[in-house]
Amino acid sequence: MAQYFDQLDKIAYEGADSTNPLAFKHYNASEKILGKTMAEHLRMAACYWHNFCWNGQDVFGQPTFNRPWLAGGDAMQQAKHKADVAFEFFSKLTIPYYCFHDTDVAPEGSGIKDYINNFAAMVDVLEQKQAETGVKLLWGTANLFSNPRYAAGAASNPDPQVFSYGATQVFHAMNATKRLGGENYVLWGGREGYETLLNTDLRQERAQLGRFMQMVVEHKHKIGFKGSLLIEPKPQEPTKHQYDYDSATVYGFLKQYGLEKEFRVNIEANHATLAGHSFHHEIATAISLGIFGSIDANRGDAQNGWDTDQFPNNVEELSLVMYEILKSGGFSTGGFNFDTKLRRQSMDRYDMFHGHIGGMDHLAMALKRAAALIEKDFLSAAVAKRYAGWSDSLGKAIQSGEHTLQSLAELTVRDQLDPQPVSGRQELLENQLNLVLYR
C-alpha cells in the first residue's frame, strides 16, 4: 500500500540549533541521563484513538480531518488501512510504543460474535505490524463507554447483561494485550459514575465495580499476564461524578476491596486538573501511596472546564513530575503515552508529527532538568532537614507506638516543651528551582 506520509522519512535528532520543524531538538533517544538512555527513561507511546479514529468532529461542527480510512466502505478493509497508516506513523516518528482500545483497531460489527471475530482478525494484523516495525505495545484496553449500551456505565450499570457484555470485551482485550506483549492493561471507567442521585444506588454500583475489578485480577493470574493492571482516575465528564475521582480516591476504593497490591494508577495530566489538583500533586500522591504506574501525557486549557487533551508543553511542570519519578526509581512497566489530539484547525496530515515532536522534545527537556535537580537535590535536602525531628528519639518513639496521648501530654509538661515555628523557606526554594529550570 502507498505510504500516507510520503513526504518524509524517519524523524531524526538534529539538536537545539536546528531550524527543521520535522526534527527533534532535545529528544535524543540514545543520550544517557543518570545512567539510562532517554528512551529508557521516558518510554513514550502514541495513542491509536485520537490520531487515527477521530475525524475532527465536535458537538458544534462537522469533521475537519480528511482521513481516507475513516470514509465509507468495507469496515475490516478500512481497519487494516488504518493499521498500515498507524504503524507508518509510529515508525517514522521513531516512538517505541503505542496504545489502543479494542474498538479503535477493529469494528464492533452488529453483535458480540462480529466483535470477537473482527477483533481477533485485527490482533493478527497488529502482531504482524509489531514484528515488522519493532514498535511495542505499552498497554491495551477495552472501550466500555462509547456504545449507547454503556450510557449508564459498564461495571456500574444497573443491568447485569451490560456488565456481562463489558466483561466479555475486557476478557478479549486482556487476552490480546498479553498476546501482543503489552506491558500493562488499563481500565478507564469513562462512564462509571452517575448523572443524578435520584436514580442511583451508590452502594450497589460500588459493589459491582469492586467485583468487576476482582474478576480482572483473577483473569490476569489465570492467563499469566505479567504486566501491570492500571486504573485511570478521572473526576467528571462525561458523567457528573465518577467513582475513580483521583489517585487518593482510587486507593481508597482498592483498599475497600483488597486490591491495593494488584492495581496501580495511570495518571492523566488533564484529569488531574479537572479534579482540582496539579499534575505534580497526582504523581507525588500516587508514589507516596505505592500505586504509581504510568502516565497519559497531555494538558488542559486553564480557561476551559473540560478535557481538551492538548500536547504537553509546560516544561516547568513536566520537570517536577520527572523529578518525582526519578526519585522513586523511574518507570517499571509504565511510560508516557501521548493521550493527545490535534486542534480541529490543525488539519494537515503532518500536524500529527509536529504535535508529537513537540511533546517528545518537551519531555526530553524536562528529563534533563529533573536530572539536574537530582544531581544537586537541594529539594530533598531541605525536606530532610525540615522533618529531621522524626529521626530523633521523640519522633521515633511516637512513630513506633511507644507513646499514648497521655504519655505525650505528661512528657510535654515534664520537659516543658516549647516548640517554635520554623521557616519553610518556600520562596528560597522556588528561586533555587528556577535557577535550575531556566539556566
Side-chain angles (χ1 to χ4, degrees):
M1 183 172 291
Q3 292 187 342
Y4 184 69
F5 303 104
D6 56 356
Q7 295 180 21
L8 60 81
D9 198 359
K10 291 183 182 293
I11 304 299
Y13 169 73
E14 295 184 4
D17 294 331
S18 171
T19 59
N20 179 5
L22 290 169
F24 296 120
K25 314 301 188 300
H26 298 277
Y27 177 63
N28 181 0
S30 60
E31 180 181 348
K32 286 204 170 182
I33 306 286
L34 299 179
K36 293 166 64 174
T37 66
M38 281 192 174
E40 290 170 329
H41 275 298
L42 298 172
R43 295 170 56 85
M44 292 185 285
C47 75
Y48 221 92
W49 50 100
H50 292 318
N51 289 314
F52 306 105
C53 301
W54 186 48
N55 60 12
Q57 181 174 346
D58 67 14
V59 295
F60 302 110
Q62 298 176 2
T64 60
F65 301 154
N66 181 22
R67 310 295 194 219
W69 58 89
L70 298 180
D74 181 84
M76 282 299 292
Q77 285 303 117
Q78 292 294 60
K80 292 173 183 177
H81 184 186
K82 179 165 53 175
D84 287 334
V85 176
F87 278 86
E88 180 194 353
F89 175 75
F90 302 148
S91 298
K92 289 185 172 180
L93 183 61
T94 68
I95 200 163
Y97 292 97
Y98 76 110
C99 301
F100 70 84
H101 299 83
D102 51 355
T103 57
D104 296 337
V105 299
E108 289 190 73
S110 59
I112 193 64
K113 289 185 178 179
D114 279 352
Y115 163 82
I116 292 170
N117 292 334
N118 291 346
F119 188 42
M122 286 308 301
V123 170
D124 290 343
V125 172
L126 296 180
E127 187 174 51
Q128 180 181 351
K129 291 291 183 184
Q130 289 183 204
E132 290 172 353
T133 62
V135 178
K136 296 178 288 186
L137 180 61
L138 186 64
W139 52 257
T141 188
N143 181 332
L144 306 185
F145 49 89
S146 291
N147 193 289
R149 74 174 62 89
Y150 297 124
S156 60
N157 198 286
D159 184 348
Q161 291 190 21
V162 175
F163 184 106
S164 179
Y165 204 106
T168 304
Q169 283 189 237
V170 170
F171 171 82
H172 288 281
M174 287 184 71
N175 292 348
T177 299
K178 178 179 183 293
R179 176 180 161 189
L180 294 171
E183 301 190 22
N184 309 269
Y185 183 82
V186 170
L187 295 109
W188 178 55
R191 297 189 187 275
E192 308 296 2
Y194 63 80
E195 299 286 355
T196 175
L197 288 173
L198 298 178
N199 63 8
T200 301
D201 185 333
L202 289 172
R203 187 185 299 274
Q204 172 67 27
E205 291 197 356
R206 284 179 62 85
Q208 292 171 205
L209 195 55
R211 180 59 194 136
F212 196 96
M213 296 304 178
Q214 289 168 344
M215 292 166 66
V216 168
V217 170
E218 292 162 4
H219 189 62
K220 170 190 173 176
H221 294 302
K222 181 178 180 179
I223 65 176
F225 178 57
K226 301 303 182 184
S228 295
L229 295 176
L230 305 175
I231 292 177
E232 183 170 330
K234 187 177 184 183
Q236 54 200 0
E237 192 218 19
T239 61
K240 177 179 179 179
H241 175 84
Q242 289 173 221
Y243 298 121
D244 51 359
Y245 192 88
D246 58 10
S247 294
T249 304
V250 169
Y251 184 73
F253 169 84
L254 294 174
K255 287 285 286 185
Q256 181 181 0
Y257 293 99
L259 297 169
E260 69 273 14
K261 302 296 184 184
E262 299 285 356
F263 284 92
R264 301 180 186 181
V265 286
N266 181 59
I267 296 170
E268 180 173 320
N270 208 166
H271 294 177
T273 51
L274 285 174
H277 305 308
S278 69
F279 184 24
H280 186 195
H281 165 90
E282 280 292 272
I283 298 298
T285 297
I287 290 171
S288 72
L289 294 171
I291 57 170
F292 173 67
S294 195
I295 289 176
D296 273 7
N298 59 21
R299 79 179 198 276
D301 187 317
Q303 294 177 303
N304 289 339
W306 62 86
D307 196 1
T308 56
D309 290 327
Q310 295 171 247
F311 285 89
N313 64 3
N314 186 336
V315 176
E316 177 181 348
E317 180 178 54
L318 293 170
S319 298
L320 292 173
V321 164
M322 276 305 312
Y323 171 72
E324 298 290 344
I325 294 171
L326 292 176
K327 277 202 309 177
S328 68
F331 289 111
S332 54
T333 60
F336 282 102
N337 169 51
F338 290 108
D339 184 1
T340 47
K341 61 185 177 186
L342 297 173
R343 301 303 89 191
R344 291 180 71 244
Q345 297 178 58
S346 298
M347 56 195 70
D348 186 278
R349 67 185 68 182
Y350 293 96
D351 287 329
M352 292 171 61
F353 283 94
H354 294 305
H356 285 82
I357 289 168
M360 294 168 78
D361 266 346
H362 297 142
L363 285 177
M365 294 167 70
L367 173 61
K368 288 186 279 190
R369 284 155 178 75
L373 288 172
I374 291 289
E375 288 168 344
K376 297 181 179 179
D377 218 359
F378 57 87
L379 293 175
S380 287
V383 170
K385 182 177 180 180
R386 190 171 183 223
Y387 291 89
W390 290 94
S391 298
D392 291 340
S393 57
L394 176 58
K396 288 181 178 179
I398 294 171
Q399 287 288 90
S400 66
E402 293 180 29
H403 278 294
T404 64
L405 283 178
Q406 180 177 340
S407 68
L408 275 179
E410 292 170 350
L411 180 148
T412 302
V413 173
R414 184 193 69 217
D415 294 350
Q416 298 185 55
L417 298 185
D418 185 22
Q420 299 300 308
V422 177
S423 174
R425 298 185 181 276
Q426 178 176 333
E427 291 75 16
L428 171 62
L429 294 175
E430 289 170 342
N431 293 345
Q432 292 176 324
L433 173 64
N434 280 340
L435 288 175
V436 175
L437 296 181
Y438 300 104
R439 68 188 187 282

